[in-house]
Amino acid sequence: MSTESAQEFYGRWARLYDVIARRTPGIAQLRRRAAAACRLEPGDTVVEMGCGTGANLPYLRERVGPTGTVIGIDFTRQVLERARAATAEYDNVSVLRGDATRLPVGAEVEAAETDGGGGIDAVLATFVVGMLEDPVAAVDDWCDLVGPDGTVVLANAARSEKWYAPPVNAVFRMIVILSTPPTTRLHYENDPHIRLDEKIDAAHARLRHRSVAVVDETHVFGVVRLTGGRLE
Ligand SMILES: C[S@@+](CC[C@H](N)C(=O)[O-])C[C@H]1O[C@@H](n2cnc3c(N)ncnc32)[C@H](O)[C@@H]1O
């Protein structure tokens, strides 16, 4: 998916996406679990890449408390407006428009990265790497951004490998096709859910390779993979 079509797609569907991101059954537990996997302490700094409408931000804020810092980054203006409105009550949560694959993004991230800013303790990216041209390079950049003892956490929906996978995967394939522009095509030369799976496999494998596992598990009938690693 190109940058322009991703921004156009999420811009147009920001409102609907926000409802799905917050209200899908089981999603709140998953977001809480992903935030916990970031191993944050009160006062820490966490950056969320591709934060969308900000559904993870309250859980991250809960972890770092009032003295910590939460920075959400996304390149789609309309989703960021929702994220900003949803977190307006917190003065230590900021959302920035920028490309998560071109770091550093903005003065806040640069300031946090320096020793004076205490460094970035964790990076979280949920349902994002499948959209990136080079997810492995992005994972490398995020690992470099947190540095030694920092944590990187990925959560993504990919094909289930459970024994009951076929019907679950059929539903999943339909969701991917419907949420991958152009949504009107029924036949693809390169089926988007297979390409998506490859990207997600590669990103999670890279994180496992670069870090020591703190969490590696599946949720929602095996469709959602959650991998977290501590950098050495
Ligand atoms: C499926 S949504 C996930 C949003 C959020 N992480 C969540 O869990 O609800 C993917 C988001 O990633 C953003 N995105 C994709 N590629 C990006 C990039 N290179 N830089 C910044 N944001 C990006 C899109 O704008 C979209 O808001």
Side-chain angles (χ1 to χ4, degrees), residues 76-91:
T76 305
R77 185 179 48 78
Q78 294 91 330
V79 297
L80 277 182
E81 283 165 9
R82 291 193 164 263
R84 200 164 281 134
T87 53
E89 66 189 286
Y90 306 120
D91 57 11

Side-chain angles (χ1 to χ4, degrees), residues 10 17 31 48 50-52 74-76 98-100 126-127 131-132:
Y10 281 100
Y17 184 79
R31 294 190 186 284
E48 184 183 355
C51 65
D74 202 289
F75 64 17
T76 305
D99 188 333
T126 60
F127 311 113
M131 296 176 62
L132 305 179

Side-chain angles (χ1 to χ4, degrees), residues 29-192:
Q29 292 94 305
L30 177 73
R31 294 190 186 284
R32 185 167 281 118
R33 181 82 185 114
C38 291
R39 300 166 58 245
L40 294 162
E41 302 283 343
D44 276 355
T45 296
V46 55
V47 177
E48 184 183 355
M49 302 295 181
C51 65
T53 56
N56 289 319
L57 298 175
Y59 300 104
L60 295 174
R61 165 62 172 69
E62 208 171 276
R63 293 269 155 189
V64 301
T67 58
T69 305
V70 180
I71 303 171
I73 293 169
D74 202 289
F75 64 17
T76 305
R77 185 179 48 78
Q78 294 91 330
V79 297
L80 277 182
E81 283 165 9
R82 291 193 164 263
R84 200 164 281 134
T87 53
E89 66 189 286
Y90 306 120
D91 57 11
N92 59 339
V93 178
S94 48
V95 293
L96 310 176
R97 187 159 188 211
D99 188 333
T101 62
R102 291 185 192 175
L103 301 177
V105 184
E108 277 96 335
V109 176
E110 267 178 84
E113 230 188 323
T114 65
D115 279 342
I120 293 167
D121 301 288
V123 163
L124 171 66
T126 60
F127 311 113
V128 175
V129 294
M131 296 176 62
L132 305 179
E133 212 35 59
D134 188 346
V136 170
V139 169
D140 275 339
D141 286 348
W142 301 342
C143 288
D144 294 342
L145 187 70
V146 299
D149 206 38
T151 308
V152 175
V153 175
L154 303 175
N156 289 289
R159 276 184 302 175
S160 173
E161 286 165 2
K162 303 274 189 203
W163 62 268
Y164 48 72
V168 172
N169 288 335
V171 172
F172 173 58
R173 178 177 184 275
M174 194 47 70
I175 292 170
V176 173
I177 286 180
L178 290 174
S179 59
T180 306
T183 53
T184 45
R185 284 169 64 179
L186 291 177
H187 177 74
Y188 289 84
E189 265 163 41
N190 296 310
D191 210 332

